[in-house]
Amino acid sequence: MRTTIYDVAKEAKVSIATVSKVINNKGHISEKTKRKVQEVIVALNYQPNMMASALMGKRTKTIGLLIPDIANPFFSELARSIEDRGHEFGYNLVMCSTDYIQEKENKYITLLKRKSVDGFIIASGFENLDKIEELVKEDIPVAIVARDSPMFYVNTVALDDFMGGYLAASHLIELGHKNIGVIARDVWSNRERLRGFKQALEENKLEFTPDFEFIKEINHIEAGKYMTRKYLDAPHPPTAIFACNDLLAAGVIQGGKEVGMSVPEDLSVIGFDNTILATIIEPPLTTISQPIQNMGKEVMDIMISMITGEVKEKRRLTLLPSLVERKSTSKLTV
Amino acid sequence: MRTTIYDVAKEAKVSIATVSKVINNKGHISEKTKRKVQEVIVALNYQPNMMASALMGKRTKTIGLLIPDIANPFFSELARSIEDRGHEFGYNLVMCSTDYIQEKENKYITLLKRKSVDGFIIASGFENLDKIEELVKEDIPVAIVARDSPMFYVNTVALDDFMGGYLAASHLIELGHKNIGVIARDVWSNRERLRGFKQALEENKLEFTPDFEFIKEINHIEAGKYMTRKYLDAPHPPTAIFACNDLLAAGVIQGGKEVGMSVPEDLSVIGFDNTILATIIEPPLTTISQPIQNMGKEVMDIMISMITGEVKEKRRLTLLPSLVERKSTSKLTV
DNA sequence: TTGAAAGCGGTACCAA
DNA sequence: TTGGTACCGCTTTCAA
């Protein structure tokens, strides 16, 4: 059996109340007993059971992290930065990949509530705001990251996706492209990116002509390939493609290669996220960079301050994307 | 306040003991009361508190996953497959990135023990076997994945790393390479790969000549670049490089490009893992494939059977690697 | 078939 | 400064 507070109390010849006070540094305990108890704790290698204290209303120091897919580099990098910041303050993360499936999202939330997590960090891809609102109402700390939630009463660390899309389009337009394809999954942030994208077109008196539709596939690389082929087969194929994440962009480049087009000579490609993939892809990917490290840190900080009750008002922090020019885009040559 | 078992009992006009029995489907309860209780549970949306039942010795349905770095695609893909299998059986994963740092490993283990996780799945990179042995002695389920542990009494799902290294070398030798560099971090699995590698050389009467040393950097891409430059600057530069993971291989290819060498014409490169990176890198990476999905599934299955007590004897499952030929290696032309 | 009550391992209030 | 004890929400034994 594991050592309990009773063992410590008995060994130190004090009451469990005293031991508890020593552990939590509460109340007034004489230096002498304090030292004695601490010695026994070390000697017995006593580790307080967190389940028990959680039952009494203390924090579990565990946070639920809901993301679409930990195998997607953007999310694994984000998860890592969140984890690191949490670790500094003694928090652990329960990781849940939802695959954009509502049923999974709900299941995980219910389950983690039963496990008394201290709060939820929810990454983009979550379309199911009802469930989140429910958490807020129940006064369970929730923070959203990498997805904006305007008109919604939740702490949020987001990227200015609109600006991201605008940046991407502007870059391409500047290079002379007029017919630009877009590939994206139908989630909130991408709708924003698309809005920004169209805004830039409009400002340049360009029209959004491609035969666009949101992808549904889970496998982004394949989806990128597929859409690329579709675009390239069309009567007026685009000369550039804006892929709403780096994985998709990788698919575009591969798809282009398969039909003998080289990037960027025949087709310019711009991605989104600036994950490790962007540096590995050939040609190195021009992409819109999200400040992943920062987003992770900020959202964890918000989470912690919600848990400790330091901050009561809700807030929305919007970080700005930036263009990272590499080699996958070039001037349109006709 | 959350609904508790007392609320349900009161509402259903029965005792909490009865409610508990209904929930857990234990004891003998009349159909009538059972139905009544179930109705109330639904009506009140009652969710049993797992902390409380964990205190009484029930499982927490939570497993600690210790990996070097979730941002490394190999580990994030592995984590994902473990998570998926766990999810099928209602388990959650607490994710801990250790960065190969012992201090972190120990800290996480202690912390997760306090949180009463049902078991630990530990991925390669863990050199600290003492701590694991401790867990085994305390009868806490532990399983090791992606790292062998011969002579060690732990359930393991491993890859035959020796064979992996052998396969890599054999492939290169077959292509005519005689002077082959190796890049690896000093962890158990890599030592095995190196052993297999040397074995193949020996069988072909070749000597291991390069000025090899283990890398220490955390950033694998940079490490790959650095070692590549070092190899290429040597008096007798190798004509091929075996990188012990795909990330490293990406660095090798980049490093080669930087000094104007093209892959595979001037330098053949073979990786290890076969992560998503291998398909994205240009040229597509020839690599030794680990059956990641399978490893994840198998290790979770072992974990679950340990938890449920179905399997008492320890076992070691070794999966076999295979060569995936893509475009980063070619015949030596001199 | 049902329920009273004794824990599980802590926390916190109140008395001593 | 210390300790007794009620309680957190659930499981389980034993009697009724």
Side-chain angles (χ1 to χ4, degrees), chain B residues 15 18 21 28-30 33 56:
Chain B
S15 74
T18 304
K21 281 170 199 151
H28 298 272
I29 305 289
S30 72
T33 27
M56 285 301 294

Side-chain angles (χ1 to χ4, degrees), chain A residues 162-178:
Chain A
F162 180 88
M163 179 174 169
Y166 185 89
L167 243 39
S170 302
H171 172 66
L172 259 15
I173 292 169
E174 217 162 81
L175 292 172
H177 296 276
K178 293 183 170 16

Side-chain angles (χ1 to χ4, degrees), chain B residues 26 40 43 48 54 58 68 71 88 108 123 152 177 183 189 211 230-231 234 245-246 249 265 273 284 286-287 311 332:
Chain B
K26 279 193 176 173
V40 174
K58 277 190 108 182
E88 290 180 37
Y108 277 129
F152 198 62
H177 297 277
I183 305 181
S189 43
D211 186 17
K230 203 179 135 222
Y231 275 137
N245 70 45
D246 290 349
E265 292 78 7
D273 289 348
T286 294
T287 192
V311 181
L332 181 64

Side-chain angles (χ1 to χ4, degrees), chain A residues 171-172 175 253 262-271 278-279 281-287 323-331, chain B residues 257:
Chain A
H171 172 66
L172 259 15
L175 292 172
I253 292 180
S262 63
V263 174
E265 292 77 6
D266 307 320
L267 182 68
S268 282
V269 179
I270 187 165
T279 65
I281 294 173
E282 181 64 32
L285 189 67
T286 294
T287 191
L323 173 70
V324 176
E325 283 192 66
R326 283 194 269 254
K327 309 282 187 191
S328 65
T329 52
S330 71
K331 265 218 161 66
Chain B
K257 271 181 201 158

Side-chain angles (χ1 to χ4, degrees), chain A residues 244-311:
Chain A
C244 278
N245 70 44
D246 289 349
L247 226 34
L248 244 18
V252 173
I253 292 180
Q254 286 180 22
K257 273 181 199 155
E258 284 178 7
V259 295
M261 300 201 83
S262 63
V263 174
E265 292 77 6
D266 307 320
L267 182 68
S268 282
V269 179
I270 187 165
F272 209 108
D273 289 348
N274 195 30
T275 57
I276 194 170
L277 294 182
T279 65
I280 287 175
I281 294 173
E282 181 64 32
L285 189 67
T286 294
T287 191
I288 303 299
S289 169
Q290 301 207 45
I292 300 183
Q293 304 305 319
N294 241 319
M295 290 172 81
K297 174 188 171 302
E298 294 291 352
V299 75
M300 183 48 96
D301 284 350
I302 287 194
M303 178 50 54
I304 292 176
S305 64
M306 290 176 84
I307 292 174
T308 56
E310 281 165 38
V311 182

